[in-house]
Amino acid sequence: MKHLLVLLDFTETAQQAIDQALAVAKLHKPLVTLCHIAKEDSSYSEAGTLEQIKPYKDLLEGSGIETGVFLSKGNLFTEAKKVVEQLRPDLIVAGTHGVKGLYLSLMGSAIHKLVKEVPCSTLVVTKESKIVHGGYKKILMTAAPHPNYHIKVDQVSSLIAKEGEVVLFVVKMPVPDKDSMRNIEAAKEIFETRGIKWRLHEVEPKPHSVGFAAQTLEAVRAEGVDLIAIMSQISKRNSHFGKLDKETILLNEDGLQVLCANEEMTAEAC
């Protein structure tokens, strides 16, 4: 990991995003770019914004982390995509305000729209998130049929602690999803090659349940994981309930951090 991008909105989640970005940066020593995207209708002052960013920049540089600043203005989603396409970071760290956030709309959470549209994986934290130092000790990684599932495997590999463990979570279906199972088998091989411990956690689907989010969060709590890894894009096979599933996980009440691997990112950019 050579470049980490932190999206800052100067709310209460900004410090959480910075603190977790610093914890990740201490492991990989990447360039960390602090980015603020001002609202188009806001009274924007570059000097004032730089003054707001300065404490975060000082914190990172005081820990020996190379730090840059990138300022933009406009629609959050449009500008964030442009910033990512220009800077090509390896990972984004962003905060979410949860279900009561200022940017929550009738069409769903802003954070889910963001992680879908930026061509890069995003690590999402909330104000309740516990900052994880030294790499994640236990990561729950959900099964998925996406053709670029390997991106999630690579990101998990880069974030896990030296003695950490990956829990591969699978909901066993009456008719097995061959693509999901193929991805899980490939993940096992990759983790074994890289010396990463893994374990399978399989559950039967609950009758009358809509989607898999509830069972995923049950497994998260039972396993005591400190990171959930999902794909940011909704697969065609889960189009009916995938959006609700992902928002439920992203806005989980436990404040657990969520890694959203974006399948639009090329392998070279990862």
Side-chain angles (χ1 to χ4, degrees):
M1 187 181 299
K2 296 179 180 179
H3 189 185
L4 196 61
L5 176 68
V6 186
L7 297 179
L8 298 173
D9 60 2
F10 305 127
T11 65
E12 55 194 339
T13 63
Q15 189 63 54
Q16 289 293 90
I18 286 292
D19 289 344
Q20 189 56 61
L22 176 57
V24 173
K26 285 181 177 178
L27 289 177
H28 299 282
K29 301 297 182 183
L31 164 66
V32 177
T33 298
L34 306 178
C35 176
H36 175 66
I37 300 172
K39 293 182 180 179
E40 201 160 12
D41 58 353
S42 66
S43 53
Y44 170 73
S45 163
E46 182 174 326
T49 303
L50 290 174
E51 190 63 27
Q52 286 181 286
I53 288 178
K54 188 177 185 302
Y56 305 131
K57 190 171 185 289
D58 290 346
L59 175 64
L60 290 163
E61 291 181 339
S63 298
I65 305 301
E66 183 184 358
T67 310
V69 174
F70 193 99
L71 304 181
S72 184
K73 184 176 181 179
N75 176 272
L76 171 64
F77 310 108
T78 302
E79 291 304 309
K81 186 175 181 179
K82 289 180 181 177
V83 169
V84 170
E85 289 173 344
Q86 180 176 339
L87 299 183
R88 306 298 290 175
D90 299 301
L91 181 68
I92 300 168
V93 181
T96 177
H97 305 279
V99 294
K100 296 181 180 180
L102 296 175
Y103 296 108
L104 189 68
S105 70
L106 293 176
M107 298 303 292
S109 67
I111 192 64
H112 180 232
K113 181 176 174 63
L114 179 69
V115 301
K116 282 194 308 177
E117 296 194 7
V118 292
C120 182
S121 297
T122 304
L123 181 62
V124 178
V125 302
T126 73
K127 65 176 183 178
E128 289 86 14
S129 294
K130 179 181 178 182
I131 304 303
V132 179
H133 299 276
Y136 295 87
K137 312 304 183 291
K138 186 180 286 189
I139 302 175
L140 184 136
M141 193 169 83
T142 57
H146 299 71
N148 289 332
Y149 189 80
H150 64 278
I151 293 173
K152 181 159 67 170
V153 176
D154 289 340
Q155 291 287 0
V156 165
S157 298
S158 70
L159 292 172
I160 197 163
K162 187 176 180 180
E163 299 300 325
E165 179 183 53
V166 179
V167 177
L168 299 170
F169 179 68
V170 177
V171 177
K172 294 189 291 185
M173 303 302 293
V175 179
D177 183 332
K178 293 182 179 180
D179 290 331
S180 292
M181 292 302 98
R182 187 181 300 113
N183 284 338
I184 287 292
E185 290 304 315
K188 292 177 184 178
E189 292 182 13
I190 293 171
F191 289 141
E192 287 178 357
T193 299
R194 296 174 179 175
I196 296 172
K197 291 187 294 185
W198 63 269
R199 181 163 49 81
L200 195 64
H201 183 133
E202 292 184 300
V203 297
E204 299 289 342
K206 288 188 175 182
H208 313 300
S209 177
V210 178
F212 304 126
Q215 286 185 273
T216 300
L217 292 175
E218 284 179 10
V220 162
R221 295 175 186 124
E223 293 282 358
V225 307
D226 50 10
L227 180 67
I228 311 169
I230 64 174
M231 299 297 293
S232 59
Q233 301 292 334
I234 300 169
S235 69
K236 293 181 180 179
R237 297 176 191 180
N238 296 331
S239 59
H240 297 297
F241 52 82
K243 181 175 182 290
L244 178 62
D245 264 355
K246 292 184 188 300
E247 290 188 351
T248 300
I249 291 173
L250 278 165
L251 304 176
N252 71 87
E253 296 179 353
D254 300 282
L256 282 166
Q257 298 183 36
V258 182
L259 170 67
C260 301
N262 195 325
E263 66 179 348
E264 292 180 358
M265 178 62 91
T266 64
E268 288 79 9
C270 286

